[in-house]
Amino acid sequence: MTTLSGLTEQIYSDRDIMGLFSGPGTLRRMLAVEAALARAQARCGVIPDSAARCIDEVCHADDIDGILDLEQIAAASMLAGNIAIPFVKQLTAAVRQVDPEAARYVHWGATSQDILDTALVLQLQQTIAQLDQDIGSAQAACARLTAAHRDTLIVGRTWLQHALPTTFGLKTAGWLEALERSRQRLRQDAEQIALLQFGGAAGTLASLGDAAPAVAHAFAEELGLALPGMPWHTHRDRLANVAATLGVLTGTLGKIARDVSLMAQTEIAEVAEPGGPGRGGSSTMPHKRNPVGSAAILAAATRVPPLVSTVLSAMVQEHERALGGWQAEWDVLPQICALAGGALRHAVSMLDGLEVDAARMARNLDATNGLVLAEAYALALGSRIGRMQAHEVIERASQEAVRRRCTLKVAVQDALTQNEATRNLLSREELDRLSDPANYLGQATALSDRVLAEWQAKLGTEST
């Protein structure tokens, strides 16, 4: 029976990644590792070719249920301490039914952690490949928004208050660049984690004698993995890097979702998530259009950091094989991967269909009657009378504009004309120029263009 958590997990986690780390998904990779081990050992003359062929055929059976009983493995693992021990017993029994002699060589010279860690590496490789592709899709959506809105004026907000004019394109360029940093980190982690785990009981491969180096090399080659300088049973830094990178990625997606959800508030209404039948509705309020994509992303961004913390805490492992730390990773790493993947899929959907209301952005920018340009007035006046004095003049004018409910331009003009010493410091033309937000964007468009150009250049390099 499906549990409540199983139902709700579909909202936040990526289904493909969940399937990859499911019971059958994990056992499939463990079978692939055992098959590769047998092939490698046959290549090196450690086990007979006939035994390796039999093991390989059984491991690649189309019907996994015909050779393994998932429920029995799960039940037996509670006493065994991990799933590899009952898994190997069932695999050996399945091989014995085909060739009793070949069954002698199942799991030859390996330890449980060799199989579980290497299977995990295969799962992480596939996960990272999917995430890399999805990050690219999210970046493409951000790039389209940046190009389309490089000149779209919007109010910049600090401490949730109106600050200065900026562009929506600069905001989306920030999203694009942050995603690129996560993508590069993830690619580096993918390269570092693509390693075979093969050390035997205590990391010495004593069970294979002088054949150990050749078997290890062939084993890695069979799986398309690199051979590390030594086994890494209790050195989990590479895995911790993957977890941390996914934590940062999910946090970046959370930042994007926070921006979108704040801008989608009824009183702001500058953007809206894509709509559609069954999306974002309410069980009682027919008018509602809830930002469900943002909600799912933010939920993942809330859940992932404690999980990453668990992986970091689990790095402190004892001697050559861990007691508790390694075991703590088993459920946590898949959860991190699935949640990061789910957040990313929601982000792609949200960004692809994001509705942008440039007119509402312009109205919101003008909501304070020009107060967002106070700094521009102060700097222009400061070049004549000094920064501090100018700041005081514009501060009083801003307060007066609020009191009178007039524009800052009118309040500044009145303040200057009331004093003989300041009457002619800013001309009418200068006041007109200072009152236009488009004239106080600084490097907003240039920065947007630079980020977009850098992304396009990398895209072009990768496609060649």
Side-chain angles (χ1 to χ4, degrees), residues 3 31 48 60 71 103 138 173 205 256 258 339 426 439:
T3 63
L31 288 169
H60 286 94
E71 290 188 5
L205 283 175
I256 295 172
R258 185 72 77 196
L339 286 167
L426 294 177
N439 294 327

Side-chain angles (χ1 to χ4, degrees), residues 244-266:
T245 293
L246 295 182
V248 172
L249 169 62
T250 310
T252 291
L253 297 171
K255 190 288 189 273
I256 295 172
R258 185 72 77 196
D259 281 350
V260 169
S261 57
L262 287 173
M263 295 168 69
Q265 290 182 104
T266 304

Side-chain angles (χ1 to χ4, degrees), residues 220-242:
E221 193 173 73
E222 288 287 341
L223 291 170
L225 299 174
L227 183 64
M230 61 179 290
W232 42 279
H233 289 142
T234 53
H235 294 280
R236 316 302 283 180
D237 50 293
R238 300 180 185 94
L239 290 176
N241 277 335
V242 173

Side-chain angles (χ1 to χ4, degrees), residues 33-96:
V33 174
E34 291 284 4
L37 174 62
R39 294 194 304 270
Q41 290 174 334
R43 284 171 53 185
C44 298
V46 173
I47 69 172
D49 287 340
S50 58
R53 285 195 299 272
C54 179
I55 294 170
D56 187 68
E57 289 174 4
V58 171
C59 287
H60 286 94
D62 293 332
D63 182 15
I64 190 175
D65 293 330
I67 58 175
L68 299 174
D69 187 320
L70 181 59
E71 290 188 5
Q72 286 187 8
I73 289 175
S77 68
M78 289 188 286
L79 295 176
N82 65 60
I83 63 172
I85 294 172
F87 160 82
V88 170
K89 287 182 179 179
Q90 289 192 16
L91 175 59
T92 302
V95 172
R96 186 180 294 113

Side-chain angles (χ1 to χ4, degrees), residues 273-338:
E273 287 193 12
R279 182 183 177 106
S282 165
S283 62
T284 183
M285 294 172 284
H287 69 283
K288 289 298 291 296
R289 184 174 174 181
N290 294 318
V292 292
S294 294
I297 295 168
L298 290 167
T302 300
R303 291 176 61 188
V304 167
L307 298 174
V308 174
S309 176
T310 298
V311 176
L312 295 176
S313 299
M315 289 180 66
V316 186
Q317 300 193 2
E318 302 80 12
H319 302 302
E320 282 64 54
R321 298 289 294 282
L323 180 68
W326 172 50
Q327 293 82 354
E329 299 170 356
W330 295 345
D331 290 328
V332 170
L333 276 168
Q335 289 177 46
I336 293 171
C337 291

Side-chain angles (χ1 to χ4, degrees), residues 365-424:
L365 179 60
D366 197 41
T368 60
N369 288 326
L371 289 181
V372 293
L373 293 165
E375 183 184 71
Y377 284 101
L379 290 174
L381 187 60
S383 64
R384 275 84 162 177
I385 62 175
R387 189 185 70 84
M388 287 303 299
Q389 185 177 351
H391 184 93
E392 292 173 0
V393 171
I394 301 304
E395 185 176 32
R396 288 195 298 270
S398 298
Q399 294 168 352
E400 188 67 10
V402 172
R403 188 185 69 81
R404 293 167 51 190
R405 297 184 179 180
C406 66
T407 64
L408 180 60
K409 174 186 173 182
V410 169
V412 170
Q413 189 172 24
D414 291 347
L416 294 179
T417 56
Q418 290 172 7
N419 189 326
E420 184 68 30
T422 61
R423 184 168 297 166
N424 298 316

Side-chain angles (χ1 to χ4, degrees), residues 4-5 18-19 57 86 127 189 192 204 322 349 368 394 428 462:
L4 177 60
S5 61
M18 289 174 68
E57 289 174 4
T127 296
D189 292 338
Q192 290 186 0
T204 64
S349 175
T368 60
I394 301 304
R428 186 177 298 276
E462 292 173 0

